[in-house]
Amino acid sequence: MHKKLMIYILIFLNIYQSESKFNLNKILNKYEEMIKNFDQDQDKAGVKQRNLRFSFSNCGPSSDPMKINSLVFEPDPINIPGNISLSLDGFLEKNLNSPLTMNLKIIKIVGPFKVEIPCIDNLGSCTYSNVCTMLPEPENCPSFFKEHQIPCSCPFPSGDYSIKNVLLGTDTSQKIPNGEYNIITNFQNKEIGHVGCVQIDLKIA
């Protein structure tokens, strides 16, 4: 669970809308070349330690019933490879029932361009029609959920949610090029409408 969470945070790349029109094929070809060069450098030099910095914001309207009060990764900057401590505090003003739709955008900033990673094999900038179906069955609820009093299935009751000092390990097999990334996640529900939006900005160096 912890490993999947970190991979989810660190998967990125595709085409974000810009005010001007550019040759997107050229941008994508250049980006593919950049990934190839990155892989070759890693093969020659082995895995080097890199740093990751991040910030987050609630990007939805003030009427959203879901808000993240704090999201902390330590150390800052994060060392890759290395261990990470995650703490999170948030709240739900209303009960959250199934179906819960999640729209995920993963964007890499390349110079003046914003390049959005496409949705391939259910990874990348994808829309998940009901994340409730992706959660484990109650009888298979991992200890991580139980320890932090997080439900293993929908509905999610209103109230405060808190995760303190959960240790994660960065996955060095994920060859993510250095650079700046934006991850924007929107949640929607048929009963409530827009539930919440969280944007995470990452910089890998």
Side-chain angles (χ1 to χ4, degrees):
M1 176 68 188
H2 297 170
K3 184 176 178 182
K4 285 184 178 180
L5 175 60
M6 197 58 208
I7 291 173
Y8 197 61
I9 292 175
L10 291 176
I11 303 176
F12 323 122
L13 318 45
N14 183 21
I15 290 118
Y16 191 59
Q17 192 172 342
S18 178
E19 291 183 0
S20 304
K21 299 295 181 182
F22 300 96
N23 189 327
L24 298 180
N25 286 332
K26 273 189 178 181
I27 297 172
L28 290 179
N29 289 338
K30 183 68 177 175
Y31 191 69
E32 288 176 2
E33 181 184 338
M34 182 171 62
I35 294 176
K36 186 184 296 183
N37 291 338
F38 178 86
D39 290 345
Q40 290 172 350
D41 290 343
Q42 286 237 329
D43 291 338
K44 290 177 183 177
V47 177
K48 292 184 177 180
Q49 189 174 71
R50 298 188 292 157
N51 290 333
L52 181 152
R53 291 184 180 276
F54 92 103
S55 61
F56 88 96
S57 61
N58 293 290
C59 45
S62 59
S63 57
D64 278 350
M66 184 188 80
K67 293 285 194 311
I68 303 297
N69 294 325
S70 69
L71 177 61
V72 177
F73 285 109
E74 293 179 329
D76 184 16
I78 295 168
N79 295 321
I80 304 175
N83 292 323
I84 300 170
S85 173
L86 166 67
S87 296
L88 180 149
D89 284 300
F91 68 91
L92 276 174
E93 291 181 349
K94 300 178 181 179
N95 293 339
L96 200 52
N97 298 312
S98 179
L100 176 62
T101 300
M102 181 175 74
N103 178 269
L104 177 67
K105 274 189 180 179
I106 303 171
I107 299 161
K108 185 178 192 315
I109 299 172
V110 183
F113 308 110
K114 291 188 176 181
V115 181
E116 183 182 310
I117 304 174
C119 183
I120 299 175
D121 294 332
N122 224 29
L123 291 174
S125 298
C126 304
T127 296
Y128 303 94
S129 59
N130 188 8
V131 295
C132 294
T133 62
M134 301 165 65
L135 297 172
E137 296 294 331
E139 59 269 22
N140 298 320
C141 188
S143 58
F144 171 84
F145 286 81
K146 296 176 181 177
E147 289 168 6
H148 296 90
Q149 298 181 331
I150 300 173
C152 266
S153 60
C154 295
F156 288 96
S158 61
D160 296 326
Y161 288 82
S162 180
I163 298 173
K164 298 295 184 184
N165 301 320
V166 175
L167 290 179
L168 309 172
T170 55
D171 187 347
T172 57
S173 67
Q174 300 298 312
K175 297 180 179 179
I176 306 300
N178 290 354
E180 296 183 40
Y181 300 88
N182 304 140
I183 305 172
I184 303 169
T185 308
N186 278 280
F187 295 94
Q188 291 192 342
N189 173 269
K190 285 185 177 180
E191 296 176 1
I192 299 173
H194 195 265
V195 174
C197 175
V198 179
Q199 176 168 333
I200 296 176
D201 299 323
L202 296 174
K203 185 173 183 179
I204 303 175

